[in-house]
Amino acid sequence: MIHLKSTLLATAIVAVSAPAFAADNPMVGGAAMYPDKTIVENAVNSADHETLVAAVKQAGLVDTLNGEGPFTVFAPTDAAFDMISDESLSQLMMDENKAQLAKILTCHVVATSAMSDAIAGMIADDGGMHPVPTVGGCTLQAKMDGDEITLTDEQGRTASVTIADVKQSNGVIHVIDRVLLPAM
């Protein structure tokens, strides 16, 4: 009887604790983001990242972003992808353009786990702008706009971090409002 009560108590504690675990993370795209899941495992649940998830699959980057990391991913929303013409996006999603798509996507990935306060600190330490080298070989320029982190790509396009510090088991996601592009 004591064993049964202990088991029930342990089960109740786990059941109560599990949602709190995700509660420490911001919701993204109407979905809970679980810090014990990988970047891809969480992203597939976000209604705001369906295009990004499709692009990651098309580019063959699922295994990489499910890997150990750590990674910081600046994750453009579907609205960010909507700024790209349907024709250009359709072209990028073609098999023959997989390498170009992978290059664009990896220009949103940094090979470390950097929370927003660390990024803000690096920006301050560098006098207001901090270079962010990505795994795709691009260098983004991070700066502060008030309390908001912005990233400027190699073409001079600027994205704002709209949701910061979404913890993942293999890094962190910062949601951004624009697709960043490498120098062409």
Side-chain angles (χ1 to χ4, degrees), residues 17-35:
S17 299
F21 196 48
D24 292 342
N25 250 353
M27 299 265 296
V28 176
M33 297 285 115
Y34 296 95

Side-chain angles (χ1 to χ4, degrees), residues 54-116:
V56 165
K57 288 177 182 176
Q58 176 61 22
L61 296 173
V62 171
D63 289 342
T64 300
L65 293 176
N66 264 333
E68 189 173 316
F71 303 110
T72 296
V73 175
F74 297 104
T77 61
D78 290 343
F81 278 99
D82 288 346
M83 293 182 203
I84 300 172
S85 73
D86 290 343
E87 181 180 334
S88 293
L89 190 55
S90 292
Q91 291 255 331
L92 273 175
M93 296 293 276
M94 296 175 136
D95 287 341
E96 59 267 25
N97 296 322
K98 189 182 250 186
Q100 183 182 9
L101 179 61
K103 171 79 172 172
I104 291 168
L105 294 174
T106 56
C107 282
H108 292 79
V109 181
V110 181
T112 190
S113 183
M115 300 301 277
S116 63

Side-chain angles (χ1 to χ4, degrees), residues 22-47:
D24 292 342
N25 250 353
M27 299 265 296
V28 176
M33 297 285 115
Y34 296 95
D36 62 337
K37 292 187 176 189
T38 68
I39 290 163
V40 174
E41 289 170 335
N42 274 318
V44 299
N45 293 319
S46 169

Side-chain angles (χ1 to χ4, degrees), residues 13 18 24 32 34 39 70 90 133 136 141 143 151 154 158 166:
I13 289 171
D24 292 342
Y34 296 95
I39 290 163
S90 292
Q141 298 299 322
K143 63 182 181 176
L151 301 161
E154 295 176 335
T158 300
V166 186

